[in-house]
Amino acid sequence: MDDQARIMQSIGGVSLAGHSVQGGMALPPPHGHDGTDGDGRKQDIGDILHQIMTITDQSLDEAQAKKHGLNCHRMKPALFSVLCEIKEKTGLSIRGAQEEDPPDPQLMRLDNMLLAEGVAGPEKGGGSAAAAAAAAASGGAADNSIEHSDYRAKLTQIRQIYHTELEKYEQACNEFTTHVMNLLREQSRTRPISPKEIERMVGIIHRKFSSIQMQLKQSTCEAVMILRSRFLDARRKRRNFSKQATEILNEYFYSHLSNPYPSEEAKEELAKKCSITVSQVSNWFGNKRIRYKKNIGKFQEEANLYAAKTAVNAAHAAAAAVQNSQANSPTTPNSGSSGSFNLPNSGDMFLSMQSLNGDSYQGAQVDTLRHVISQTAGYNDALGGNTMYSPHGLNANGGWQDATTPSSVISPTEGPGSVHSDTSN
DNA sequence: GGTAATGATTGGTT
DNA sequence: AACCAATCATTACC
């Protein structure tokens, strides 16, 4: 308001609103007139300004016609320079206010999230990567493929809506920008508008549109979050592992009872065999260890079952090995087997098992064979919730010790190293 | 419907 | 990071 008042003042008391022309004239005479024709010039300026000020009230056609007239008016260059001067004075206050604002952190966050979720960014890579990560986290390869594809479909839907809307906004923004730029360029003929100012205007328009875009991004993020939380909730719905998978895991567990901690490689192997994830294998072993330790009696039957199972497998493998070795080197049937659990002679095997500690045997069959040994000894007490029973591999603190004791059922009265009479079997 | 079994999660420890 | 222990939440079975 004050600026406007000053402008009025500086153009020499020409009242634009009231159309009256009073007082002195500040404009330099464009054509070297000496001032005798002052009233006429005043009239001219007043007329021009009036036309400019009322141009917005006119129809487009009318304005267009008048625009041309104004452009050709003899007083135009003078008025233009005055406007430049005024602008120079008032422009200072604008310059300070307009700064290059830093990227909005919230917008950056939204952008990053959309990128990470695969909504923004490249079509295939982002989307499937996020979906795959979610699937990996959910832990199902085949089991939740339905949920997985459902998730992906919904994500694609969100993605499509997002891109369509974004495109619309961008198009509208570009159209509007072009329109404003043309308008300003056109106006720059009658009033001083620098390219920088046009740029600034474009910036303002873009900021306005980007704030609209931010709303779109925000609601898209919300949609993705809702979808994701639903998907994760679905993930929590556990499904029991297949019987086959449980068997594989149990076989490993009971055949490594003295140290049931599969290495990373072993976990991966098991995960592959069972069609589950490595973390599921870890979970399973964590649960199994704790539950086994808590109630060994309850698991004894299962332990014996798997021990026998694995032992049978081991025996078959051993028999096959014997046959093989005999066929290959009939003169040295026991060559190279000494000290290994994979002895061809069962009697030797049992004797060796009893005399050596578990760490000497790295094979999967060790604990299993020990089970068989104890089983054949006819020890059945463990099934009756034997609290005196000290589990093999478990130390006094409840942790698994380093396989220094046999992992099968041992009579409380017998030491770990004691030789059962079952070796006859 | 009640309960045991079981996979997943969480908080703490090493 | 791996593990333990407690717990939650769901599934399977009676």
Side-chain angles (χ1 to χ4, degrees):
Chain A
M1 280 305 180
D2 289 348
D3 282 346
Q4 200 175 350
R6 278 206 308 277
I7 292 165
M8 302 292 189
Q9 203 76 38
S10 67
I11 56 175
V14 179
S15 170
L16 302 171
H19 308 168
S20 63
V21 179
Q22 353 161 310
M25 151 146 179
L27 287 175
H31 299 302
H33 290 278
D34 56 5
T36 51
D37 196 15
D39 281 349
R41 262 180 247 144
K42 276 181 209 164
Q43 199 68 44
D44 274 346
I45 295 163
D47 188 36
I48 294 165
L49 288 171
H50 175 65
Q51 285 185 40
I52 292 171
M53 293 308 288
T54 54
I55 205 161
T56 51
D57 299 331
Q58 295 157 358
S59 74
L60 271 176
D61 289 341
E62 223 178 331
Q64 204 68 29
K66 279 198 177 158
K67 200 165 71 182
H68 182 71
L70 277 168
N71 276 333
C72 301
H73 199 279
R74 65 187 176 89
M75 290 299 286
K76 188 215 162 188
L79 189 60
F80 195 85
S81 69
V82 170
L83 287 171
C84 280
E85 201 179 314
I86 295 163
K87 194 180 168 75
E88 184 63 31
K89 281 177 186 164
T90 58
L92 289 169
S93 60
I94 302 165
R95 260 174 233 158
Q98 202 245 325
E99 288 283 323
E100 281 277 316
D101 51 348
D104 187 354
Q106 202 193 343
L107 188 64
M108 273 171 70
R109 245 192 10 243
L110 290 172
D111 279 337
N112 286 340
M113 191 191 149
L114 290 172
L115 211 63
E117 292 296 333
V119 176
E123 178 72 54
K124 290 244 161 108
S128 60
S138 72
D143 277 357
N144 59 0
S145 60
I146 298 158
E147 289 160 37
H148 181 186
S149 62
D150 197 37
Y151 175 82
R152 213 159 48 175
K154 292 240 165 72
L155 195 69
T156 309
Q157 212 175 327
I158 291 172
R159 189 191 158 88
Q160 272 169 355
I161 293 167
Y162 171 75
H163 280 286
T164 315
E165 290 298 309
L166 202 66
E167 218 166 283
K168 261 194 235 166
Y169 285 142
E170 258 161 24
Q171 203 182 335
C173 180
N174 286 339
E175 271 173 24
F176 189 67
T177 307
T178 317
H179 178 72
V180 168
M181 273 169 77
N182 287 339
L183 206 68
L184 289 173
R185 280 205 197 103
E186 185 68 37
Q187 285 196 4
S188 71
R189 291 171 64 193
T190 46
R191 66 188 183 97
I193 302 167
S194 66
K196 210 171 179 181
E197 278 172 310
I198 296 177
E199 229 173 83
R200 193 170 70 89
M201 189 55 77
V202 168
I204 290 167
I205 294 165
H206 281 176
R207 268 198 295 281
K208 283 283 170 203
F209 270 91
S210 78
S211 76
I212 298 169
Q213 274 187 11
M214 187 145 99
Q215 283 174 20
L216 170 70
K217 284 174 180 176
Q218 206 153 15
S219 53
T220 307
C221 276
E222 273 170 29
V224 172
M225 290 309 279
I226 290 165
L227 175 69
R228 211 174 157 73
S229 70
R230 276 194 198 148
F231 184 72
L232 289 174
D233 281 346
R235 184 181 68 117
R236 205 180 161 77
K237 271 187 187 170
R238 73 174 181 81
R239 234 168 258 168
N240 287 359
F241 296 158
S242 70
K243 215 176 167 190
Q244 201 183 0
T246 314
E247 282 206 2
I248 292 165
L249 293 166
N250 270 317
E251 270 178 33
Y252 188 97
F253 180 80
Y254 288 111
S255 65
H256 296 75
L257 205 51
S258 61
N259 190 34
Y261 298 89
S263 65
E264 202 55 42
E265 292 79 37
K267 279 181 193 170
E268 278 168 22
E269 179 82 23
L270 286 166
K272 215 193 292 184
K273 276 188 190 170
C274 302
S275 301
I276 57 176
T277 64
V278 172
S279 55
Q280 281 180 304
V281 172
S282 298
N283 281 343
W284 190 91
F285 273 88
N287 284 326
K288 190 73 183 179
R289 279 192 298 266
I290 203 85
R291 284 164 188 165
Y292 177 83
K293 206 162 75 174
K294 262 186 176 174
N295 196 350
I296 295 153
K298 198 179 79 183
F299 287 96
Q300 203 52 58
E301 198 173 3
E302 187 180 77
N304 295 334
L305 194 80
Y306 280 101
K309 209 176 198 171
T310 318
V312 168
N313 291 343
H316 283 167
V322 170
Q323 274 192 340
N324 208 18
S325 87
Q326 280 174 342
N328 289 337
S329 55
T331 52
T332 54
N334 288 333
S335 63
S337 303
S338 167
S340 154
F341 73 89
N342 204 12
L343 290 168
N345 181 295
S346 60
D348 283 352
M349 179 162 66
F350 287 159
L351 282 171
S352 304
M353 298 290 288
Q354 297 291 332
S355 60
L356 294 165
N357 74 30
D359 275 343
S360 306
Y361 299 92
Q362 296 298 319
Q365 296 96 327
V366 180
D367 291 309
T368 308
L369 292 170
R370 283 179 181 143
H371 266 288
V372 173
I373 295 163
S374 63
Q375 277 302 287
T376 48
Y379 183 82
N380 293 319
D381 262 10
L383 290 170
N386 179 358
T387 49
M388 297 284 286
Y389 158 67
S390 166
H392 307 295
L394 281 174
N395 62 26
N397 297 327
W400 259 275
Q401 57 194 31
D402 285 341
T404 50
T405 54
S407 59
S408 63
V409 179
I410 299 176
S411 162
T413 56
E414 285 181 329
S418 67
V419 179
H420 294 279
S421 56
D422 61 353
T423 47
S424 57
N425 272 345

